[in-house]
Amino acid sequence: MTGRNGGADLAPPAPFDPVVILVRPQLAENIGTTARAMANGGLFHLRLVAPRDGWPQPRAWYASSGADRILEEATVFETVDDAIADLHRVFATCPRPRHIIKPVMTARGAAAELRATSSRKLKSGILFGPERAGLDNEDMARADTLIRYPLNPRFMSLNLAQAVLVMAYEWYLTEDTVPEQYLMTNETHVATKGEVENFMTHLLRDLDECGFLHHEQKRSGMIRNLRHLFARGEVTEQELRTLHGVVSELSRARKIRHMK
């Protein structure tokens, strides 16, 4: 949750970003959690077609976890035709194709197509059906393309917000610049080769002093294995400082024992 009074500081994205269209939604809570899912993926434009209990509904705000502005800016239409009249491309989520002849895309493929459509300054929308039965044939007849999620065929049940979140997530990934893998270092940094070599010099000096590397035939292989150990991962500068302290303390304790 955001912890904000009045919701998160959400601003409308580009005017050609996709519109999420909920067709005959039944529960206010589902509209609220849909807004939350949209905010997660950077979607803002929400349209409601004939919501069963009317609009606005206070319970939607309670369920949105701070995605208030999406709900405040949502628009209501009586029919699907009204809701899509100003759009150039319309997609429809469809768990069961029902003998319809139309292009079918995965969520990832549809997200890429939506991004391409947006870049051409064309407006697009995604239809999501009522919670109980999904879109009917008349609804899907208004769409250019169907979207079918590749889920476990033995259990493909999603609630409304989950279905929206899948599309919002895939949409976000089409422009996300976060690398697929990175090392979280907080206030330190990945050690440079020079810092690693400085630690290796310290470590090998103390290992020589304590006699650990006294076997000449094995010495080079043992040193090489130690180098491989610290070169294998991204050791941080903080970790090396800790290891410097460990080696120094072990050396100090050994000298104290020898003095006794």
Side-chain angles (χ1 to χ4, degrees), residues 208 211-223:
D208 275 327
F212 183 78
L213 298 174
H214 70 280
H215 198 296
E216 280 300 319
Q217 290 182 331
K218 295 183 179 180
R219 175 186 170 82
S220 61
M222 295 169 72
I223 292 175

Side-chain angles (χ1 to χ4, degrees), residues 163-211:
V164 173
L165 181 60
V166 170
M167 277 309 309
Y169 175 73
E170 293 294 349
W171 163 259
Y172 191 80
L173 287 186
T174 61
E175 268 203 345
D176 182 30
T177 57
V178 177
E180 292 188 1
Q181 178 177 324
Y182 65 96
L183 180 67
M184 186 168 59
T185 58
N186 295 315
E187 296 180 1
T188 184
H189 62 264
V190 175
T192 65
K193 295 300 182 184
E195 289 169 333
V196 174
E197 185 58 30
N198 181 45
F199 168 71
M200 287 298 301
T201 299
H202 181 189
L203 176 63
L204 296 176
R205 183 181 65 242
D206 277 64
L207 290 177
D208 275 327
E209 288 182 6
C210 74

Side-chain angles (χ1 to χ4, degrees), residues 202-211 243-259:
H202 181 189
L203 176 63
L204 296 176
R205 183 181 65 242
D206 277 64
L207 290 177
D208 275 327
E209 288 182 6
C210 74
L243 289 171
H244 273 296
V246 169
V247 173
S248 296
E249 188 62 24
L250 289 173
S251 177
R252 189 181 71 84
R254 186 177 65 254
K255 290 175 181 177
I256 292 175
R257 287 198 303 272
H258 288 169
M259 292 172 60

Side-chain angles (χ1 to χ4, degrees), residues 49 51 59-60 70 75 83 88 93 95 102 105 114 124 176 184 186 191:
V49 176
R59 294 194 310 279
I70 292 176
T75 51
H88 301 95
T93 54
K102 278 187 189 292
M105 304 184 81
L114 287 163
S124 60
D176 182 30
M184 186 168 59
N186 295 315

Side-chain angles (χ1 to χ4, degrees), residues 183 190-191 193 196 227-236 239:
L183 180 67
V190 175
K193 295 300 182 184
V196 174
R227 289 189 185 282
H228 282 312
L229 174 64
F230 291 102
R232 190 164 58 216
E234 295 178 337
V235 182
T236 68
E239 290 167 335

